[in-house]
Amino acid sequence: MIIRIGPRDISAVEPLTEALGRPVSDQEGLTDHTVVAHSNNLEVYTSFDEGQIWTTAEFAQHLDNPSWRHPDSISPQGDRRAIWHADVRLHPADRELTGPEWTEIAHRIARTAGIQRPGDDHGCRWIAVQAQPGRLDLIANLIRPDDTWTTQPHRLPALLAAETRRIESELGLTSPRSGPDPQQAVQQARFAGRTRQAGTADTTSQLAGLLRQLADERTGPLATVRGLVEHAAHRLEDLPDAYGPDSAHQLEMVARRLYGIQQSLESMAAALSVAARPSPVWPTQSATPAIPTSPTTPRLAR
């Protein structure tokens, strides 16, 4: 695995074009199979998370927006090149990684690069694109919402190189260094546990969203059916005794049962949402201590 940091740019169009391997377009949409990770504090992503597909041009515009909103913001180097771009490339002989594995790699690189910080709800905008085989691109606008620039760590290339070595060991990928890593088995088990949990959490979150849609009081299908049943009951109440009241009462009971089903689905959705929250997963420590080694030096249609 090799990571490369490109020169900063004034626009996200060229880095995104390089990441996609084709020109940015207002006709081509990207799903979460291609944009495998992104900054999570942005309300504009709500529609994307609910299934709306953004075009590649919209993603580029989204990344460029902070530069337009803060035209006087200058970097510590005295320029306005706010777009940061790095790409990670696997060895041609490496296996094909899964979606959760690419997502895990993206978040780890983003944290190491300083563009994602735990607990920071007002960080910079960034996305991770996996559009070409064996390649992951992270693109960020370093201008934060408060008009300040994101501070990246000193010795960033060395830190990113060390992190990619750890990721290689955990995934069993080809590394530029020579010789086996004694800790590789333990690290692979840790990564496998995290990625399995990530995949499970993603599925659970999707199912919780589906249940909430079914039970939604304003637009859910059960609410629509219940409304029709209640309307029929009210109309039957106006008919003569031989036709209406008993049937109306039965329909009212049906409406109550439908409401109970909605409440049950809401409770299940809430429980699934809680269960989807990740917690650390660690393998059992081996009885034989590992020999320490010194480290060497960002579903979507493609």
Side-chain angles (χ1 to χ4, degrees), residues 120-195:
D120 186 0
D121 294 331
H122 302 284
C124 65
R125 299 185 178 190
W126 65 273
I127 63 173
V129 177
Q130 205 284 298
Q132 303 183 62
R135 172 171 174 156
L136 178 73
D137 290 75
L138 277 78
I139 307 172
N141 190 315
L142 298 180
I143 300 178
R144 294 164 54 90
D146 60 1
D147 195 20
T148 62
W149 280 64
T150 299
T151 302
Q152 294 187 283
H154 296 293
R155 299 178 61 250
L156 180 57
L159 293 174
L160 289 174
E163 184 64 19
T164 57
R165 298 294 82 79
R166 286 189 284 268
I167 294 173
E168 288 166 357
S169 181
E170 294 174 11
L171 272 69
L173 301 175
T174 304
S175 174
R177 68 182 176 186
S178 59
D181 183 356
Q183 291 186 336
Q184 180 167 325
V186 173
Q187 291 172 335
Q188 285 178 347
R190 289 179 176 178
F191 192 94
R194 287 196 299 269
T195 54

Side-chain angles (χ1 to χ4, degrees), residues 217 221-231 254-260 262:
E217 183 61 25
L222 291 178
T224 301
V225 173
R226 198 184 87 230
L228 293 173
V229 171
E230 291 173 343
H231 177 71
V254 171
R256 290 181 184 179
R257 288 198 294 271
L258 287 171
Y259 182 68
Q262 286 179 265

Side-chain angles (χ1 to χ4, degrees), residues 60-75:
Q61 179 181 355
H62 171 72
L63 290 170
D64 285 339
N65 272 340
S67 299
W68 301 337
R69 293 179 180 177
H70 306 288
D72 299 325
S73 184
I74 304 298
S75 75

